[in-house]
Amino acid sequence: MPPRARDKQKAPAPQPPPPSLEDLFASLNRHIERSEFEEAVRVADQVLSISRGDEDAIRCKVVALVKADDVDGALSTIRSSKSPPADFRFFEAYCLYRQNKLDEALQSLKSQERSSATMLLESQILFRLNKMDACIDIYQNLPKPKIESVEVNSVAGLVAAGRASEVKRMMDKLGVKANNSFELAYNSACSLIELNKYTDAEQLLLVARRIGQETMVSDNFPEDEIENELAPISVQLAYVQQLLGHKQEAIEAYTDIIKQDLADELSLAVAVNNLIALRGPRDVSDGLRKFDRLREKDKQNFHLAPGVDLKLFSKQRESIYVNRVLLLLHANKMDQARELVAALPDMFPDSVTPALLQAAVFVRENKAGKAEDILGQFSEKFPDKSKVVLLARAQVAAAAGHPHIAAESLAKIPDIQHMPATVATLVSLKERAGDIDGAAAVLDAAINWWSNAMTEDNKLTVLMQEAASFKLRHGREEDAARLYEELVKSHGSVEALVGLVTTVARVDVKKAEAYEKKLKPLPGLKAVDVNSLEKTSGAKHDEGISHVRITETYEEGKSKAKSKKKRKRKPKYPKGFDPANPGPPPDPERWLPKRERSSYRPKRKDKRAAQVRGSQGSVARDKHEAGATSNTSNSKSNQTTTSKGASQNAVAEPSKPSSSKSRKKSRN
């Protein structure tokens, strides 16, 4: 077969000419105006394939990636450019801020020229770093006509910095009112909450919600978006209800917010955390399920999702983790609690809460010694934060029966050392530990401190009175008398004078008599001669009318007491039982074993085994002899049996309250 001829190759279709840069930029501008950011990124890449390093195309791509929430891609684009302009470093700082790399973002801003944009971003970074004073300083130096809503951020910064009392003065200075916008009304209401003006805050939050609804409805916002925007106001209203003591209303409000399944993750997290804190240990499993809605799905251990973790303040995140651990402890899920607590020190290195939670886990596992060690190590490592930790250590040690460790922990807190409650606790702990000298030293130090203290509410009198009582109780009469005498001279206390007379009478009778004369006589004892009363042999029994009256009074009281007694009710009998015809009484020996009952008869042995084989005469003779012998042996055996039965009864008598097992045997 001849070979086939080759087919002619088809000519490739002509490629359309590449679009011009003008057309690409026009398309890029059109996508950006329509908020089609992914298409804008694609077009920007086409521009960069034609014109590498085009600054406008890179800028458009970075902005589009940021708008599309692809912060990592934007940062990679900036760093891949060979020589980014200065304003690209601003975008780099913003991307680092969005990645929660706040220190790097702040460092990047410091190398840039100071402008309104850089100052505003710096203030936001400082706000997230909880450096509120520096944040407020930047807001106050911003060019206010060029920045929108600067008063909203200023109020938020003052509230977060704990300077809520300055909000009204600042708003008057700026010439704005709380109802200018729903954001400003919301932040102003938060300042009122910080000032404990809960009713005023509630009214202002209602105003903020009304203004927000009217504004967004007029701007044709979708209903679900309106709910998301107003979710923080709803959560704050529920929180105000909680602070006002309306717990049920707050629980219902939090539950409704959670059921709405809002896109606002921050409001959802706050609502879940507040609801669980309000309910406490009730319905632990439901609380854990609600917390699981906030966790990152990919991680095995509990960790907040990135959208929640980046938006919450450090204190808010810490509160969520703390409540999660407490729920795990209530649910007795010790392994999960232990894992989560072990991760908290790295998350919150400046907080004392992780150490307290570690101690709580050890206490729950009955390892009080380890809890005391952890708290003690933390207090030595961070002495400026040791007050709460030492108080917790003292409580754990006191509950575990370690009074010396509890007293040692309290003694390390200087600012409460001489407070009456602390002194009383220390004295009690040292008494329990057997350190009487140490307890007395605590009282002496407290008296010395209050003697030199220049305060209106001086506790010296109370402490001296208690110290004198303590020393008198432990046989230190001279020290007690000295304290009582000082109290009498300085304050003229009647109680101290009584205590002084009682105490000195054991040591110096003449001195006690001298102080006894200072006691005022009782008003009803003027006509009583004490000396003659002491010489009498006592009160005599006077028979007669008084005795009769006493007897009558006693009988009347007795009859009244009898009349007050409740009437006896008729006993309830079992169904079908006739009390008039109860039948034969039960056997009193029914609970005894059968062999111990009087009616018990042992089984007889086979008599045929005792028959004698032989001649007839010998059998008759043997029977007669055997009969006489058997009579004798029977009488002996009866005596033996009787004595054995008596001995058995004597042995069995103490075991009458037998167990249920023996009762079952006797029924058989």
Side-chain angles (χ1 to χ4, degrees), residues 630-644:
S630 64
N631 289 335
T632 308
S633 61
N634 282 339
S635 62
K636 290 182 180 180
S637 63
N638 288 337
Q639 292 176 1
T640 307
T641 304
T642 305
S643 62
K644 284 183 179 180

Side-chain angles (χ1 to χ4, degrees), residues 23 47 57 122 135 156 270 298 331 340 344 382 419 471 510 530 561 568 600 617:
D23 294 339
V47 174
E122 184 181 359
C135 172
V270 174
D298 298 335
L340 185 55
L344 292 183
F382 303 99
M419 295 294 106
K471 294 186 177 184
K510 292 183 179 180
V530 179
K568 291 184 179 180
Y600 174 72

Side-chain angles (χ1 to χ4, degrees), residues 469-482:
S469 176
F470 169 83
K471 294 186 177 184
L472 184 61
R473 188 168 64 250
H474 290 283
R476 304 185 180 188
E477 288 85 1
E478 295 182 359
D479 295 340
R482 179 178 53 79

Side-chain angles (χ1 to χ4, degrees), residues 152-227:
V152 176
N153 293 340
S154 299
V155 172
L158 287 173
V159 173
R163 296 162 58 181
S165 58
E166 303 177 21
V167 169
K168 190 176 184 306
R169 184 169 63 253
M170 187 271 294
M171 292 176 63
D172 293 340
K173 184 179 179 181
L174 295 176
V176 295
K177 293 183 179 180
N179 56 1
N180 283 11
S181 64
F182 77 92
E183 297 97 338
L184 186 58
Y186 172 78
N187 287 348
S188 301
C190 293
S191 69
L192 293 175
I193 292 174
E194 292 295 320
L195 297 174
N196 299 329
K197 297 179 180 180
Y198 304 133
T199 306
D200 297 340
E202 183 181 15
Q203 297 301 320
L204 194 54
L205 286 170
L206 293 173
V207 171
R209 185 164 64 181
R210 178 179 55 79
I211 295 173
Q213 286 176 341
E214 293 174 355
T215 303
M216 284 182 277
V217 167
S218 63
D219 292 340
N220 297 323
F221 275 73
E223 186 175 352
D224 56 346
E225 192 169 344
I226 293 175
E227 290 295 330

